[in-house]
Amino acid sequence: MTFKIIEITPMLIPYGVNTSRRAPRPLNERQKDYVENYDYKTVFYDIFYSENNVCMVGPNLRNLESIINIGKWSINGFLRRDEPKFKSMWKVDNVSFELNYGELSGNPVNQFGVSCGWLDCDGKIQPNESAIFSGKKVLVSINKNNNLACIKDWIIFYQRTHGIDAVLLYDNDSTEYTMYELLDVIKDIEGIDVGVVVPWVCVKILPLVILFFNVLVFMLINTIYMFNYCLKTSCEKKFLNLKLKKIRA
């Protein structure tokens, strides 16, 4: 039996960098929460080893592709002289480097580095753990704050009706419970001998900027209101004093 939480290596555009993925949808076709929910800053969701390749998977790069292409990449500390290969799919881009003989015959491939101006970072190349699900009938889904009892009933239904014996859940930053609690639910179900939870979290910068902007606007409006109030009060006092002087006269 295997029950675990998978570690991922995301790559994000850093805070303070004035570069973002261009949104594909025209302004006149965007719903009210489009800007808030669109992922402007994630470059790759995960970086991992697969079939003699280092693979980087993320949302469509769009305008970021040229920047990634000219970046200086290294694997296990050695600079790559070739350019990465790009494969674009529906809402997903796969960027990869094919490993050479020296990289495959040497130390395990586990570190990458990249430098392309605004993006200068390194990190761990995650192992390919797809073998966990070899020969399994797998139930796959994305979860965010769904009731744990409902999740358990849902898995039990698929186990009894369709004979699944493995569960793969991508947890989209649930706040009602931890990933360990979610994994415990999977463990408790009879007939399930493989359960994996993947933390699928995207850090979005833009909503914070919008919030900050809204706070500034509120403060500005409040300041103008207080200024007008003070000015009005001051004028009323002057008018009252003038009126009292006339009455006394």
Side-chain angles (χ1 to χ4, degrees):
M1 289 189 174
T2 302
F3 296 94
K4 64 187 302 183
I5 295 173
I6 296 291
E7 182 183 356
I8 63 172
T9 300
M11 185 184 292
L12 308 170
I13 297 174
Y15 286 88
V17 174
N18 189 25
T19 300
S20 298
R21 178 186 298 98
R22 292 197 194 104
R25 191 172 297 180
L27 290 173
N28 61 339
E29 295 181 11
R30 298 180 183 181
Q31 65 270 28
K32 290 183 179 180
D33 60 350
Y34 182 84
V35 172
E36 179 182 352
N37 291 324
Y38 185 75
D39 186 357
Y40 288 86
K41 294 293 184 178
T42 300
V43 182
F44 299 118
Y45 295 131
D46 195 14
I47 299 173
F48 56 94
Y49 172 81
S50 179
E51 297 180 348
N52 298 338
N53 287 271
V54 172
C55 299
M56 295 160 273
V57 177
N60 294 131
L61 290 166
R62 297 180 59 77
N63 56 299
L64 301 179
E65 180 175 335
S66 58
I67 301 174
I68 296 299
N69 196 37
I70 63 174
K72 295 180 180 179
W73 292 85
S74 64
I75 295 177
N76 279 8
F78 294 97
L79 185 66
R80 295 292 304 225
R81 301 295 181 183
D82 55 336
E83 295 179 351
K85 297 177 181 178
F86 292 85
K87 183 178 181 181
S88 187
M89 296 170 280
W90 185 66
K91 293 190 176 182
V92 177
D93 275 1
N94 188 332
V95 181
S96 63
F97 281 103
E98 185 175 358
L99 300 175
N100 56 46
Y101 176 79
E103 291 166 331
L104 291 171
S105 59
N107 295 324
V109 176
N110 55 20
Q111 289 291 324
F112 78 93
V114 59
S115 177
C116 53
W118 49 263
L119 185 61
D120 189 0
C121 66
D122 53 33
K124 180 180 179 181
I125 299 172
Q126 300 296 339
N128 187 337
E129 303 197 58
S130 59
I132 295 174
F133 300 103
S134 178
K136 295 294 181 183
K137 187 177 285 187
V138 188
L139 178 63
V140 184
S141 187
I142 298 177
N143 169 69
K144 185 178 179 68
N145 287 331
N146 288 296
N147 183 275
L148 290 177
C150 293
I151 293 174
K152 185 173 184 178
D153 290 342
W154 171 69
I155 296 173
I156 289 173
F157 169 80
Y158 273 89
Q159 197 284 320
R160 293 177 179 175
T161 307
H162 301 285
I164 66 159
D165 53 4
V167 177
L168 171 60
L169 288 182
Y170 291 85
D171 190 67
N172 188 17
D173 199 21
S174 292
T175 55
E176 299 297 320
Y177 41 78
T178 67
M179 287 184 291
Y180 295 97
E181 291 174 300
L182 181 57
L183 190 63
D184 286 340
V185 169
I186 302 172
K187 285 181 183 179
D188 289 340
I189 299 173
E190 186 177 352
I192 303 297
D193 51 23
V194 173
V196 173
V197 177
V198 182
W200 211 241
V201 183
C202 300
V203 179
K204 298 179 182 178
I205 310 301
L206 198 61
L208 298 179
V209 175
I210 293 173
L211 177 61
F212 181 68
F213 177 77
N214 288 340
V215 171
L216 285 179
V217 171
F218 173 79
M219 292 174 64
L220 180 61
I221 293 173
N222 190 55
T223 302
I224 294 172
Y225 173 81
M226 291 301 297
F227 175 78
N228 288 337
Y229 175 79
C230 293
L231 183 63
K232 181 181 178 183
T233 304
S234 177
C235 290
E236 286 177 350
K237 285 182 178 179
K238 288 181 180 179
F239 177 78
L240 183 60
N241 289 336
L242 182 62
K243 193 173 182 181
L244 287 172
K245 286 180 180 179
K246 287 183 177 180
I247 292 173
R248 288 171 184 169

